[in-house]
Each structure stands twice: as C-alpha cells, then as structure tokens.
Amino acid sequence: KMQLAMLRAVAAPPRTIRLAFLVLALVFAVCWEHGAADAEGEDDAQPAEGRSISAIMHSGIRTAFELLKDAGWSGYITLIVGFSAWVSFSLPTMPIEVAAGFVYGAAWGCVVGVVGKTVGSCIAFVVARRLGERIGLKIPEALVPYLAGLRTRPLVTMLGVRIAPLPLGVKNYGLALCQVGLSPYFWAAFIVNLPFSMVWGSAGASCHSLSEALAFNASSAQGGMLQVVLYRVLPGAAVAALATALVWRALGRSAGARQ
C-alpha cells in the first residue's frame, strides 16, 4: 500500500524530476525486457510456472550492469542514482550490492551500497512524511513498541529498529510517520548500512563472474563471509563508527553552544 501511495505522491513533481523518473523508467523497462528474454532462454527446459519474477529481476539487473560497467564514471553515477530510486521503493538490495562489488571492487561497491541505501531511505522518508501529512497515514503496528524510545532517544532507538527483523518498507516509510527528525534518521540508516554494504561489496569482489555475483547466496558462503567480516568489515566499521560518534558529539556540542 505504501508503494502505491508513493506513486501517487510523485504523480505531479517538477519537470526535472519527471524527466529523471522517465529516464529511469525507460532504463528499467529495457533491462526488464532483456531480463525476461534472458530468463526465458535460460529456462527453456523448465516449465513456464518455474520461471519466477525473481529470475527475471536478476536477469534485468545483470543487463543493467552489463550496460553500465563500461560507461566509466557516468555509469557509476547512474548506478548510484538508480539504486537510490530502487531503495526508495523498498526493493531487494543485496543482489545489486554484490554485483556492484564485482564490477567496481570492494571499496567502490561499498560506496554504491552505502550511498544508494542511505539516500534512498531518505527519499522514502521525505515522501512518506509528506504523504502522511496529506492523507493521514497511521504508524505501523510493528513500530508502536518503539514510540517512547523514538521520542527520548531517537538515534539509539532507530538503530535498534534498523537492526530488527522488520520489513524494509516499515523501516523506511514507518519511521517517517513517527515524527522523528531527518538528521537522526539519516545517521541511523548510514551507521547500519555501512557494515552490510562492506560485507556485500567484499563478497562481490570475491566472485568470478557477474552471474556468480547475482546468484550469490549468503547462507551457502558462511565460512568465507566470516573471514570477510573478521578481517575486512569489522576494522573498517569500527573506524567508521568512531568517526561517526565524534562527528555526532561535535554537532551536539555546537547545537548546545548555540542555545
């Protein structure tokens, strides 16, 4: 329901935004069409009911990466913009992050994941907040137990919500209806997104082909992923968390001094 409401909210945006969404829609349509054709070709031996939307989606993502990987920086920026729009609709993120790690390497693939997921979450926040004020959307039941904490300790509570096993749509759209600020929402999304993006970017960099990256299954690679987490992700995440804490403390001090 929230995805449909978002579509209504962007039904009459400024001309530049309409153009951007039109371009993204055309790219998605082309990739989806190619993906459907690829999935049909790969699954000729299977019955028609065995061809899932997931297979078509993965083939479409593969087509998009094949178009973007040789486009240089313009392709890289296009991927970040497209991935941000993708996340704003709460669509699956792991296949794109792993594929980005394969195409651009662990570091730059991580940047795609962190920036795309954080910006996409903020887009969802702004749209849901505006839409909630217009048509009176209610707070999801799953977030009701967190309301008291969101009022007193918004950042810490939102970190808990982000880590909790809740649907991405509830985390992105639901928090916007809880009258929390965009700043703690942004930092909560960034802090939680960073280690996961590092994991998926590193996993993609260890793959040998784009097809392998898109078919990556975290549960079947737990041993290798444990080494990635211990030796690559945790040190970087610790440094990033420390830097974020220092920045947050400095911002708090500066706000207190102004008051």
Side-chain angles (χ1 to χ4, degrees):
K1 292 182 180 179
M2 184 66 71
Q3 282 92 335
L4 293 175
M6 286 182 62
L7 290 175
R8 294 171 188 162
V10 298
R15 180 178 299 178
T16 53
I17 298 180
R18 287 203 305 267
L19 180 60
F21 269 93
L22 177 60
V23 172
L24 288 173
L26 289 174
V27 171
F28 181 79
V30 171
C31 294
W32 183 272
E33 185 68 23
H34 280 275
D38 291 344
E40 184 176 356
E42 291 172 359
D43 297 333
D44 281 339
Q46 300 181 4
E49 58 271 16
R51 300 166 190 163
S52 65
I53 293 179
S54 176
I56 297 175
M57 182 181 68
H58 277 68
S59 297
I61 294 173
R62 180 177 60 191
T63 302
F65 272 95
E66 289 173 349
L67 294 173
L68 295 174
K69 67 180 181 180
D70 296 324
W73 282 106
S74 60
Y76 186 77
I77 298 300
T78 301
L79 173 60
I80 292 178
V81 173
F83 187 42
S84 300
W86 180 273
V87 172
S88 71
F89 288 98
S90 296
L91 296 172
T93 61
M94 190 189 76
I96 296 179
E97 291 188 83
V98 177
F102 169 75
V103 173
Y104 296 106
W108 290 110
C110 174
V111 172
V112 170
V114 173
V115 174
K117 289 194 295 187
T118 304
V119 172
S121 297
C122 290
I123 293 173
F125 178 93
V126 172
V127 172
R129 172 66 59 84
R130 182 177 178 183
L131 194 62
E133 293 173 351
R134 283 189 174 184
I135 64 176
L137 293 176
K138 295 182 178 180
I139 298 173
E141 291 293 333
L143 293 180
V144 172
Y146 298 93
L147 288 178
L150 288 170
R151 296 189 186 98
T152 57
R153 296 184 299 171
L155 177 60
V156 174
T157 305
M158 277 190 281
L159 287 174
V161 172
R162 284 282 172 187
I163 298 174
L166 297 173
L168 183 59
V170 173
K171 299 175 183 179
N172 284 348
Y173 311 138
L175 286 172
L177 305 176
C178 297
Q179 301 304 316
V180 297
L182 180 59
S183 178
Y185 178 91
F186 168 86
W187 284 110
F190 175 80
I191 292 170
V192 173
N193 288 336
L194 180 60
F196 286 100
S197 294
M198 293 177 70
V199 169
W200 304 137
S202 298
S206 67
C207 294
H208 299 92
S209 67
L210 184 57
S211 297
E212 179 184 349
L214 289 173
F216 179 82
N217 186 344
S219 62
S220 65
Q222 290 180 352
M225 290 305 299
L226 180 60
Q227 294 182 357
V228 170
V229 170
L230 290 177
Y231 298 110
R232 296 187 185 182
V233 175
L234 288 182
V239 172
L242 178 61
T244 302
L246 293 175
V247 171
W248 189 259
R249 179 177 295 181
L251 291 175
R253 287 179 178 174
S254 110
R258 290 177 184 175
Q259 293 176 354

